[in-house]
């Protein structure tokens, strides 16, 4: 057995037979690769012409660059004759020309040292046939003509336009100059650093936008996105100017090779985003993002001392928009409601105290309440705020609370006090006239909701009905359930009956239920100008339709 001590890598000749499979053979690949070769050759413009025939499309790409110095290097896979400066700056792979592999192609070129024309038949790409080197009398530069399969109307034009859109040189198609666009157009700010132009965009949410532009070749690669809390989303696009260490994966060049240069670019993008945010009038970065920003920029300002004004979460809310942020007032505090029972009770207590703004307590020392934002935990200004939660309630009965009243679902005390406690065990008492307590049996059933209402409350039956609905009504989205409107109508009927019973007694509740049922089911049947007179009991009934009296309600 031979003991091998040294080996050297080599490329199998069989690899040449697979050359036609290196690229996908699409027009996008061809235009991108040949345009890049023209740019590296120092061209000042590129001209594309196309002749549509019945069985093929003849496409020619011409440039006024330096031409090809060595036709043999052109046909050597992985070898190129680019100048040293070009190889240092861009690391060309010597593969781009093989995007034409398998196509009948004619290459004509005039350089300072060589003039030639090559007619490459489709089978010559794999080394199975010789290629004749012929003379050419054309102008300096390179012209590449190839036959392609017939193209549907407009497809070829769209491919050329796409390749030219972000390309740094002017391109014509059948003598018409194509539109070019700055890859970073519409950016909020563009910063040029370390061989890149980095455009920072605000509130652009499309995941389908290309993020990097390599001299006209665009691709989608994950780049940093920074989302402020309920505010601006910042994203970036990168226009590569001179970054030799940032290279694309061969041969398709559809993704970036993962190396240290890519890591530096990602860090540079984050640095640039934070630099732009720092220049804004204010920001709402999360505490975590702010810590990261502080690593890139010393003395990075803290998030604006703003929070959304508090407002109640309702039982029927499956989603709600975050209220508008507002500057913190002196004596500002956070209220963290746990459920709709808690939120509706607290909201009523605030209204009872000031009869005005929903978020403000009008006690001895007025206090504004704000929504909690957990992403801000860690900021000194946020952590210093009192964050209250409801920890209990007290009911005062001047004549004492009976045992029966303590166990009922309805209480009518003389006073109600809501007890709040913050993270420092400091307590705040709010006087109110209404409280509704969470109970396992109370969800979506107004008859089972435990309600306390002071004897001197100013709430009317309609107001109390709305409070019960806000705290308890949670519509079902089950496929067998009635529509939202039907569920809400039924619940409102039950809530109204409960409200009238609490405030006006059982007879009033019965009449309220009858009025609602009558209005919903019967009233629309009474002809205009007529009056229905109804007398009904368990043993007799009497109905008549009379002419409406003048001035009577219909």
């Amino acid at each position: 057995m031979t003991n091998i001590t040294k080996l050297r890598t080599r490329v199998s000749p069989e690899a040449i037979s697979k050359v036609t499979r290196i690229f996908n053979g699409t027009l996008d690949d061809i235009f991108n690769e040949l345009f890049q070769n023209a740019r590296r050759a120092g061209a000042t413009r590129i001209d594309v012409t196309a002749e549509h025939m019945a069985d093929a499309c003849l496409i020619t790409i011409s440039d006024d660059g330096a031409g090809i110095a060595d036709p043999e290097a052109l046909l050597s896979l992985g070898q190129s004759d680019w100048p040293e400066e070009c190889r240092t700056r861009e690391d060309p792979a010597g593969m781009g020309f093989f995007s034409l592999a398998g196509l009948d192609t004619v290459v004509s070129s005039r350089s300072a040292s060589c003039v030639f024309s090559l007619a490459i038949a489709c089978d010559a790409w794999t080394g199975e046939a010789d290629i004749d080197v012929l003379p050419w009398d054309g102008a300096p530069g390179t012209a590449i003509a190839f036959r392609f399969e017939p193209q549907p109307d407009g497809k070829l034009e769209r491919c050329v336009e796409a390749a030219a859109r972000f390309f740094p040189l002017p391109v014509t198609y059948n003598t018409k100059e194509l539109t070019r666009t700055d890859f970073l157009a519409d950016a909020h700010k563009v910063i040029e650093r370390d061989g890149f132009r980095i455009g920072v965009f605000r509130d652009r949410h499309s995941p389908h936008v290309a993020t990097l532009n390599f001299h006209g070749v665009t691709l989608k690669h994950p780049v940093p996105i920074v989302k402020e809390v309920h505010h601006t989303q910042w994203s970036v696009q990168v226009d590569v100017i001179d970054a030799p260490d940032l290279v694309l994966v061969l041969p398709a060049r559809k993704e970036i090779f993962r190396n240290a240069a890519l890591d530096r670019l990602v860090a540079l993008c984050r640095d640039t985003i934070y630099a732009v945010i720092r220049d804004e009038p204010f920001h709402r970065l999360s505490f975590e993002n702010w810590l990261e920003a502080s690593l890139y920029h010393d003395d990075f300002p803290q998030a604006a001392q703003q929070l959304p004004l508090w407002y109640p979460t309702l039982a029927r809310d499956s989603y709600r928009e975050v209220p508008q942020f507002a500057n913190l007032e002196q004596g500002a505090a956070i209220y963290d409601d746990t459920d709709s029972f808690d939120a509706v009770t607290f909201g009523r207590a605030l209204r009872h105290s000031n009869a005005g703004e929903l978020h403000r307590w009008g006690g001895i020392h007025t206090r504004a309440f704000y929504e909690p934002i957990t992403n801000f935990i860690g900021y000194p200004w946020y952590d210093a705020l009192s964050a209250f939660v409801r920890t209990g309630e007290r009911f005062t009965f001047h004549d004492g609370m009976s045992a029966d009243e303590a166990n009922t679902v309805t209480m009518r005390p003389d006073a109600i006090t809501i007890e709040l406690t913050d993270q420092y065990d400091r307590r705040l008492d709010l006087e109110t006239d209404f409280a509704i307590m969470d109970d396992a049996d109370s969800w979506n059933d107004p008859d089972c909701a435990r309600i306390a209402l002071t004897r001197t409350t100013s709430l009317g039956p309609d107001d109390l009905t709305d409070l019960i609905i806000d705290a308890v009504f949670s519509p079902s989205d089950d496929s067998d359930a009635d529509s939202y409107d039907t569920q809400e109508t039924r619940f409102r009927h039950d809530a109204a009956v409960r409200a009238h019973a609490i405030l006006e007694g059982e007879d009033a509740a019965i009449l309220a239920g009858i009025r609602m049922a009558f209005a919903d089911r019967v009233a629309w049947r009474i002809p205009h100008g007529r009056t229905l007179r109804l007398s009904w009991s368990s043993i007799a009934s009497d109905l008549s339709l009379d002419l409406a009296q003048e001035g009577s309600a219909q």
Side-chain angles (χ1 to χ4, degrees):
M1 179 176 178
T2 304
N3 292 324
I4 299 176
T5 59
K6 291 184 180 180
L7 290 173
R8 179 173 295 186
T9 60
R10 64 189 181 91
V11 177
S12 169
E14 295 175 359
I16 301 299
S17 66
K18 301 179 176 61
V19 71
T20 55
R21 283 182 274 163
I22 289 180
F23 290 90
N24 289 329
T26 65
L27 285 173
D28 293 323
D29 281 343
I30 292 171
F31 286 131
N32 282 333
E33 293 294 340
L34 298 188
F35 281 15
Q36 294 305 312
N37 283 348
R39 178 185 60 80
R40 294 188 187 106
T44 61
R45 64 179 300 106
I46 295 174
D47 299 306
V48 180
T49 61
E51 181 181 352
H52 295 275
M53 298 175 288
D55 61 342
C57 184
L58 182 61
I59 302 171
T60 303
I61 301 174
S62 305
D63 68 67
D64 60 353
I68 301 169
D70 183 357
E72 187 173 3
L74 178 69
L75 294 171
S76 299
L77 181 64
Q79 181 180 343
S80 65
D81 63 349
W82 296 110
E84 181 64 27
E85 180 185 0
C86 178
R87 289 200 297 270
T88 299
R89 294 182 62 183
E90 297 193 30
D91 189 27
M95 291 186 177
F97 182 64
F98 282 84
S99 61
L100 294 164
L103 302 177
D104 291 330
T105 304
V106 175
V107 184
S108 304
S109 179
R110 177 183 293 275
S111 68
S113 60
C114 187
V115 180
F116 65 88
S117 181
L118 307 176
I120 308 171
C122 60
D123 59 353
W125 288 97
T126 58
E128 299 173 7
D130 292 334
I131 301 171
D132 293 328
V133 181
L134 304 174
W136 188 54
D137 59 358
T142 301
I144 300 175
F146 58 94
R147 289 172 62 90
F148 205 81
E149 61 187 29
Q151 295 298 294
D153 291 342
K155 181 178 180 181
L156 175 58
E157 291 84 347
R158 290 193 294 272
C159 288
V160 181
E161 289 170 355
R165 183 169 298 121
F166 303 118
F167 191 65
L169 305 179
V171 178
T172 66
Y173 176 71
N174 286 345
T175 72
K176 176 186 175 182
E177 186 159 332
L178 300 179
T179 300
R180 289 183 295 146
T181 304
D182 183 355
F183 185 65
L184 305 181
D186 301 325
H188 176 70
K189 185 172 288 188
V190 176
I191 296 177
E192 187 169 334
R193 285 184 57 186
D194 301 345
F196 301 100
R197 290 176 68 236
I198 301 177
V200 181
F201 296 78
R202 62 185 310 158
D203 293 328
R204 188 179 59 186
H205 303 288
S206 174
H208 307 297
V209 174
T211 53
L212 288 102
N213 176 37
F214 281 79
H215 313 290
V217 177
T218 61
L219 53 91
K220 300 170 188 174
H221 182 84
V223 289
I225 293 176
V226 175
K227 178 70 172 72
E228 296 183 55
V229 179
H230 301 298
H231 193 44
T232 305
Q233 176 173 291
W234 300 96
S235 58
V236 295
Q237 288 181 195
V238 180
D239 202 0
V240 177
I241 301 174
D242 184 12
D245 294 331
L246 193 72
V247 293
L248 303 183
V249 176
L250 299 172
R253 305 180 203 264
K254 296 295 192 299
E255 59 181 310
I256 306 174
F257 178 66
R258 297 182 179 275
N259 59 9
L262 178 57
D263 294 338
R264 288 194 297 271
L265 174 59
V266 171
L268 181 61
C269 288
R270 300 194 76 86
D271 184 356
T272 303
I273 290 175
Y274 288 131
V276 170
I277 294 175
R278 187 179 185 182
D279 290 340
E280 292 293 296
F282 70 93
H283 72 81
R284 291 194 193 127
L285 289 176
S286 68
F287 180 69
E288 181 181 0
N289 283 145
W290 177 74
L291 287 178
E292 182 180 49
S294 299
L295 296 176
Y296 289 102
H297 302 275
D298 293 337
D299 301 324
F300 200 96
Q302 296 185 33
Q305 296 186 30
Q306 300 175 339
L307 288 174
L309 297 171
W310 181 89
Y311 81 109
T313 302
L314 308 183
R316 59 181 173 271
D317 290 343
S318 58
Y319 168 80
R320 67 168 186 167
E321 294 185 0
V322 175
Q324 183 177 359
F325 277 62
N327 292 326
L328 298 182
E329 302 178 15
Q330 186 173 3
I334 293 168
Y335 186 69
D336 191 0
D337 53 76
T338 56
D339 54 35
S340 58
F341 291 83
D342 183 8
V344 171
T345 299
F346 180 67
R348 175 56 193 171
L350 295 183
R351 283 197 180 278
H352 180 72
S353 72
N354 63 53
E357 295 174 283
L358 178 61
H359 68 282
R360 189 179 305 281
W361 177 52
I364 299 175
H365 302 290
T366 184
R367 187 186 289 267
F369 286 93
Y370 298 81
E371 297 273 355
I373 299 293
T374 56
N375 300 98
F376 287 165
I377 294 174
Y379 282 118
W381 63 264
Y382 184 85
D383 293 346
L385 295 173
S386 289
F388 287 101
V389 295
R390 178 178 167 188
T391 52
E393 52 278 322
R394 299 194 309 273
F395 307 108
T396 301
F397 295 82
H398 294 328
D399 54 359
M401 182 172 61
S402 66
D404 291 340
E405 196 164 25
N407 296 321
T408 187
V409 293
T410 301
M411 287 188 290
R412 298 301 304 273
D414 294 288
I416 301 173
T417 303
I418 305 299
E419 299 176 354
L420 310 182
T421 307
D422 72 4
Q423 70 272 40
Y424 306 108
D425 289 330
R426 293 181 297 212
R427 212 172 80 185
L428 180 66
D429 290 344
L430 277 65
E431 300 298 324
T432 185
D433 61 349
F434 165 86
I436 184 167
M437 283 70 70
D438 187 8
D439 188 275
D441 298 325
S442 60
W443 281 104
N444 222 26
D445 187 348
D447 291 331
C448 296
R450 296 178 59 233
I451 296 173
L453 199 66
T454 60
R455 296 170 182 174
T456 57
T457 180
S458 62
L459 288 172
D462 291 342
D463 299 323
L464 182 54
T465 298
D466 288 337
L467 289 172
I468 295 172
I469 292 172
D470 289 344
V472 182
F473 175 58
S474 178
S476 171
D477 58 1
D478 189 275
S479 59
D480 295 330
D482 291 326
S483 68
Y484 176 93
D485 289 340
T486 300
Q487 293 182 64
E488 198 271 343
T489 298
R490 186 182 301 119
F491 190 94
R492 180 172 290 277
H493 175 279
D494 295 343
V497 170
R498 176 79 190 279
H500 280 275
I502 293 173
L503 290 169
E504 300 173 345
E506 291 300 326
D507 284 353
I510 293 171
L511 289 175
I514 292 173
R515 278 195 299 269
M516 293 184 68
F518 186 89
D520 185 43
R521 301 293 183 90
V522 179
W524 62 273
R525 294 178 176 271
I526 302 173
H528 182 72
R530 307 292 294 277
T531 297
L532 174 66
R533 299 187 183 280
L534 168 63
S535 174
W536 197 285
S537 70
S538 59
I539 59 175
S541 62
D542 182 35
L543 288 85
S544 65
L545 274 175
D546 301 334
L547 290 175
Q549 295 181 1
E550 186 175 351
S552 62
Q554 294 297 307

